[in-house]
Amino acid sequence: MSPAPENAPEHCPGTESEQAGKASACEGCPNQNACATAPKGPDPDLPLINDRMGTVKHKLLVLSGKGGVGKSSFTTQLSFALSHDEETQVGVMDIDICGPSIPKMFGLDGEQIHSSNSGWSPVYVTDNLGVMSIGFILQDADDAIIWRGPKKNGLIKQFLKDVDWGDLDFLVVDTPPGTSDEHLSVVQYLKESGITGAILITTPQEVALQDVRKEIDFCRKVKIPIIGVVENMAGFVCPNCKGESSIFAPTTGGARKMAADTSVRFLGSIPLDPRIGMSCDQGLSFLEEYPDSPATKAYLNIIEEIKKVLS
């Protein structure tokens, strides 16, 4: 029987048990559905996943309990920045199954996955930056993805075991909001090969912070190391006068205080520059297009902090 997570109901069968989410002890547990649909027991595909992931040096999850805080835009700009060094090999895996925005943000709209004897090939932005997303599989970009947990789990597994990622310095995983199927699946599949850590994204207001606290709790329960928290959209910077004004008021102290309260590293704040959204719409690197923006300087400082943690 697999161990029960912390604060689980009495007689919890454990997240990996065949009875997870189905036992009488599971009734009323908020994670009942997630446990019932998550993969359980010895998985015959795990050796294949471990083999693929054995050539990946760092596996980074970009997480947030809250939607709309800029996980995908941060994933994009982080990956662009890491790949700026042509000797650094970077992969991006988009597991936001129902809202795959990564292809557009990398300028890869309309691209399709190619197969070879070694498996699926990532779609490449540059020679050292490859991307995998369900967005490359859809016949129409506007098609709704109406999938239950097991089908989502199956696609995530395919991304890990069937994609020929090759030798990577970084695999950056963009995730949907919350702590449910997709998150449990990627943690389960990467358990043996190891997750380097999670980068948590929030905005300054309390309504976002309260969900990110849940994400911190999730990481600790499933034993994902937390690299740190990033405060996104921390004020608006005028592109002309460089003046800054608060858009999402940090009424409870913002991400810096939350990080201190939860003993998590605070990586930094990124001001809201409207050109970030424009760059993402156009599939461009904001950091290269607008090197003098205060947001670019904030991004680069945060990326240096992340590298320090990983070194």
Side-chain angles (χ1 to χ4, degrees):
M1 182 176 293
S2 58
E6 295 178 16
N7 303 322
E10 189 177 3
H11 307 305
C12 170
T15 56
E16 298 175 16
S17 167
E18 290 296 331
Q19 292 301 308
K22 302 173 185 178
S24 58
C26 301
E27 293 297 328
C29 177
N31 293 318
Q32 182 178 7
N33 182 62
C35 287
T37 56
K40 301 177 236 356
D43 190 327
D45 289 323
L46 281 181
L48 299 174
I49 293 174
N50 294 338
D51 185 56
R52 290 285 195 193
M53 292 295 103
T55 60
V56 179
K57 186 175 181 181
H58 294 298
K59 295 179 280 293
L60 308 177
L61 305 186
V62 180
L63 302 172
S64 177
K66 189 70 175 173
V69 296
K71 291 183 298 300
S72 296
S73 61
F74 183 84
T75 295
T76 303
Q77 301 309 321
L78 171 64
S79 302
F80 270 131
L82 293 173
S83 67
H84 185 71
D85 179 356
E86 294 181 359
E87 299 301 314
T88 301
Q89 301 297 318
V90 182
V92 179
M93 189 172 77
D94 180 9
I95 64 168
D96 190 347
I97 307 298
C98 294
S101 53
I102 286 294
K104 174 171 281 296
M105 290 186 175
F106 280 103
L108 299 173
D109 274 346
E111 297 288 342
Q112 294 182 334
I113 296 171
H114 298 283
S115 298
S116 66
N117 291 335
S118 59
W120 289 353
S121 297
V123 177
Y124 284 92
V125 184
T126 59
D127 288 344
N128 64 327
L129 175 56
V131 178
M132 182 55 64
S133 170
I134 191 177
F136 301 135
I137 303 173
L138 300 177
Q139 290 185 344
D140 189 319
D142 294 331
D143 286 346
I145 300 142
I146 309 171
W147 288 4
R148 292 189 184 273
K151 196 167 183 180
K152 292 180 182 179
N153 297 340
L155 184 65
I156 293 170
K157 181 186 287 187
Q158 281 190 281
F159 284 174
L160 290 170
K161 77 178 179 69
D162 293 338
V163 175
D164 184 12
W165 290 105
D167 295 331
L168 292 181
D169 294 290
F170 299 95
L171 177 65
V172 186
V173 182
D174 186 42
T175 67
T179 55
S180 57
D181 289 305
E182 294 90 335
H183 309 79
L184 288 171
S185 294
V186 75
V187 169
Q188 180 71 18
Y189 295 143
L190 294 178
K191 184 176 181 180
E192 291 186 22
S193 61
I195 296 172
T196 306
I199 302 166
L200 305 177
I201 312 297
T202 187
T203 44
Q205 77 276 31
E206 176 59 25
V207 73
L209 296 174
Q210 65 182 1
D211 286 343
V212 178
R213 292 188 191 98
K214 296 180 178 67
E215 200 77 39
I216 292 171
D217 185 52
F218 168 81
C219 289
R220 287 173 172 162
K221 284 180 177 176
V222 299
K223 297 179 172 53
I224 301 174
I226 299 174
I227 293 171
V229 62
V230 174
E231 186 176 63
N232 203 14
M233 308 182 203
F236 167 73
V237 176
C238 174
N240 296 318
C241 71
K242 302 295 188 293
E244 184 173 342
S245 57
S246 178
I247 302 299
F248 303 110
T251 55
T252 58
R256 185 183 293 274
K257 184 175 186 303
M258 181 197 69
D261 291 344
T262 55
S263 301
V264 172
R265 182 189 295 262
F266 179 69
L267 295 171
S269 295
I270 302 171
L272 179 61
D273 187 323
R275 298 172 298 185
I276 296 175
M278 184 175 66
S279 297
C280 289
D281 281 349
Q282 296 174 348
L284 300 173
S285 168
F286 169 78
L287 309 183
E288 292 185 6
E289 294 293 312
Y290 304 101
D292 296 328
S293 168
T296 293
K297 295 173 184 177
Y299 264 115
L300 295 177
N301 288 337
I302 288 169
I303 291 165
E304 284 305 309
E305 285 298 312
I306 292 170
K307 287 180 177 179
K308 286 179 186 177
V309 176
L310 300 181
S311 63

